[in-house]
């Protein structure tokens, strides 16, 4: 029986103490009660572990339970993140440490700041320069870069921090440069469905994983990734005049909106003047604007 999450507290223990805790009830997919836990706060389950914050003496500390409510990692940490890819960061007295799902410490270098694991890789920082480690704590990319703080579809967009040109390239999870430093980053340039936004020759376009352009817009100098076969773009310098074009470089929805979101499940929220509404992929108003 798969456990989904810890729900909001069903019972509240009243106390005049500033350290009053609450009782959280954990249920399964059918609403059956599995166990209760007294805590000040709980996260949702991730990697079969749930972080909880509990009063320990005169302090609040974080630990982890499993899907049966058993304490797997004792509440002794000042801060924790949810588990991802079988590891998490935990903090004691401002010292970051990497833990596995049983609370065993994984050896890493010391960092001034750490991110969260995505696709088995985590951004780490030394003196504002970024690198990446894997779930074994191995530094795959040294802290010599600026750029995207997360891998997407196996690649990450980075520029050498000391570079005077800030040209960006793409590295794989082995630390190998697979697309040479030749682009400007467009926001955080991340791959999605095999394509990534980059800035080339002053214009935002899409490239594939070998680094070859797959789409260059003719109607605008900017664009988003395609969603529902449409790309959002603005046409005026002050970032207004939003519309949507297709892969034939034709406006499907004319750039008449003050602002607009990318499409999700065939719909987008758009703003015209001071009013918002919902449009579909042919620009028809499903709700008034």
């Amino acid at each position: 029986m798969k456990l989904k999450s810890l729900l909001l507290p069903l019972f509240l223990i009243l106390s005049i103490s500033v350290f009053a805790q609450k009782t959280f009830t954990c249920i399964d997919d059918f609403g059956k009660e599995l166990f209760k836990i007294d805590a000040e706060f709980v996260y949702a389950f991730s990697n079969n572990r749930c972080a909880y914050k509990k009063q320990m003496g005169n302090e609040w500390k974080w630990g982890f339970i499993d899907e049966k409510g058993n304490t797997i990692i004792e509440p002794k940490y000042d801060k924790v993140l949810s588990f991802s890819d079988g590891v998490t960061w935990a903090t004691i007295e401002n010292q970051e440490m990497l833990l596995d799902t049983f609370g065993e410490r994984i050896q890493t270098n010391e960092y001034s700041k750490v991110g969260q694991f995505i696709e088995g890789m985590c951004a780490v920082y030394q003196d504002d320069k970024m690198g990446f480690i894997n779930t074994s704590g191995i530094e795959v990319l040294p802290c010599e870069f600026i750029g995207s703080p997360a891998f997407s579809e196996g690649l990450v967009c980075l520029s050498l921090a000391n570079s005077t040109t800030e040209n960006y390239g793409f590295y794989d999870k082995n630390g190998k440069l697979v697309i040479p430093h030749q682009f400007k980053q467009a926001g955080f340039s991340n791959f999605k469905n095999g394509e990534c936004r980059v800035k080339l020759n002053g214009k935002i376009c899409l490239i594939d994983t070998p680094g070859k352009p797959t789409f260059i817009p003719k109607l605008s100098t900017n664009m988003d990734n395609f969603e529902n076969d449409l790309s959002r773009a603005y046409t005026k310098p002050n970032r207004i005049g939003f519309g949507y074009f297709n892969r034939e470089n034709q406006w499907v929805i004319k750039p008449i909106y003050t602002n607009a979101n990318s499409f999700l499940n065939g719909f987008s929220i758009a703003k015209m003047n001071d009013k918002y509404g919902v449009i579909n992929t042919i620009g028809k108003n499903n709700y008034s604007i």
Side-chain angles (χ1 to χ4, degrees), residues 116-130:
Q116 191 159 12
F117 278 87
I118 299 173
E119 293 193 4
M121 304 293 287
C122 179
V124 291
Y125 300 82
Q126 290 177 340
D127 300 325
D128 296 325
K129 296 178 183 179
M130 182 171 58

Side-chain angles (χ1 to χ4, degrees), residues 1-6 26-27 34-35 45-50 64-72:
M1 190 177 293
K2 183 179 178 183
L3 187 63
K4 280 189 173 179
S5 63
L6 283 177
C26 184
I27 64 174
L34 300 177
F35 62 85
F45 274 92
S46 177
N47 291 173
N48 302 322
R49 296 289 184 266
C50 169
F64 288 87
I65 57 175
D66 65 12
E67 292 184 343
K68 295 181 179 180
N70 300 316
T71 295
I72 302 300

Side-chain angles (χ1 to χ4, degrees), residues 52-54 56 61-64 71 73-77:
Y52 69 98
K53 189 177 182 182
K54 186 178 181 67
M56 302 297 291
K61 295 294 182 179
W62 287 91
F64 288 87
T71 295
I73 301 176
E74 293 293 333
K76 61 181 180 180
Y77 297 99

Side-chain angles (χ1 to χ4, degrees), residues 14-267:
L14 299 178
S15 171
I16 60 174
S17 168
V18 295
F19 292 105
Q21 299 188 128
K22 295 162 265 189
T23 299
F24 290 79
T25 300
C26 184
I27 64 174
D28 64 16
D29 294 354
F30 301 98
K32 178 183 176 182
E33 181 180 314
L34 300 177
F35 62 85
K36 297 179 185 293
I37 180 173
D38 291 333
E40 195 272 338
F41 191 80
V42 295
Y43 287 164
F45 274 92
S46 177
N47 291 173
N48 302 322
R49 296 289 184 266
C50 169
Y52 69 98
K53 189 177 182 182
K54 186 178 181 67
Q55 180 185 351
M56 302 297 291
N58 292 326
E59 297 180 301
W60 292 110
K61 295 294 182 179
W62 287 91
F64 288 87
I65 57 175
D66 65 12
E67 292 184 343
K68 295 181 179 180
N70 300 316
T71 295
I72 302 300
I73 301 176
E74 293 293 333
K76 61 181 180 180
Y77 297 99
D78 299 325
K79 292 189 300 182
V80 296
L81 297 175
S82 292
F83 273 94
S84 178
D85 298 313
V87 293
T88 189
W89 291 103
T91 306
I92 294 180
E93 296 180 352
N94 296 319
Q95 182 181 9
E96 301 278 5
M97 55 190 71
L98 188 62
L99 305 180
D100 66 16
T101 54
F102 293 96
E104 295 297 324
R105 186 172 181 180
I106 300 170
Q107 190 62 42
T108 68
N109 294 334
E110 292 188 9
Y111 300 104
S112 56
K113 187 173 70 170
V114 298
Q116 191 159 12
F117 278 87
I118 299 173
E119 293 193 4
M121 304 293 287
C122 179
V124 291
Y125 300 82
Q126 290 177 340
D127 300 325
D128 296 325
K129 296 178 183 179
M130 182 171 58
F132 283 85
I133 67 170
N134 60 22
T135 55
S136 297
I138 297 171
E139 194 171 273
V140 177
L141 287 162
C143 295
E144 299 175 353
F145 298 93
I146 57 174
S148 295
F151 275 76
S152 62
E153 299 186 2
L155 298 175
V156 65
C157 183
L158 301 172
S159 175
L160 289 167
N162 295 331
S163 172
T164 57
T165 57
E166 283 193 18
N167 283 337
Y168 287 80
F170 290 80
Y171 292 78
D172 66 15
K173 293 181 181 180
N174 295 315
K176 180 182 177 181
L177 179 66
V178 294
I179 301 177
H181 291 260
Q182 56 185 308
F183 305 107
K184 299 297 181 183
Q185 190 168 214
F188 285 134
S189 291
N190 295 322
F191 274 94
K192 187 175 183 180
N193 299 323
E195 293 182 309
C196 181
R197 296 169 65 246
V198 297
K199 193 170 186 179
L200 183 64
N201 299 323
K203 181 179 287 192
I204 294 176
C205 63
L206 299 180
I207 61 170
D208 58 17
T209 51
K212 303 297 183 183
T214 59
F215 186 88
I216 299 176
K218 297 179 180 178
L219 302 172
S220 174
T221 58
N222 65 88
M223 66 175 296
D224 283 349
N225 285 78
F226 282 94
E227 298 286 350
N228 291 114
D229 298 320
L230 296 176
S231 174
R232 181 187 66 157
Y234 61 87
T235 56
K236 298 181 180 180
N238 53 351
R239 297 180 70 89
I240 60 174
F242 280 85
Y244 302 82
F245 52 72
N246 58 22
R247 286 188 179 272
E248 285 69 49
N249 269 302
Q250 300 168 333
W251 289 114
V252 176
I253 301 174
K254 293 182 179 180
I256 60 174
Y257 297 102
T258 309
N259 203 345
N261 294 342
S262 294
F263 276 96
L264 178 64
N265 298 326
F267 296 98

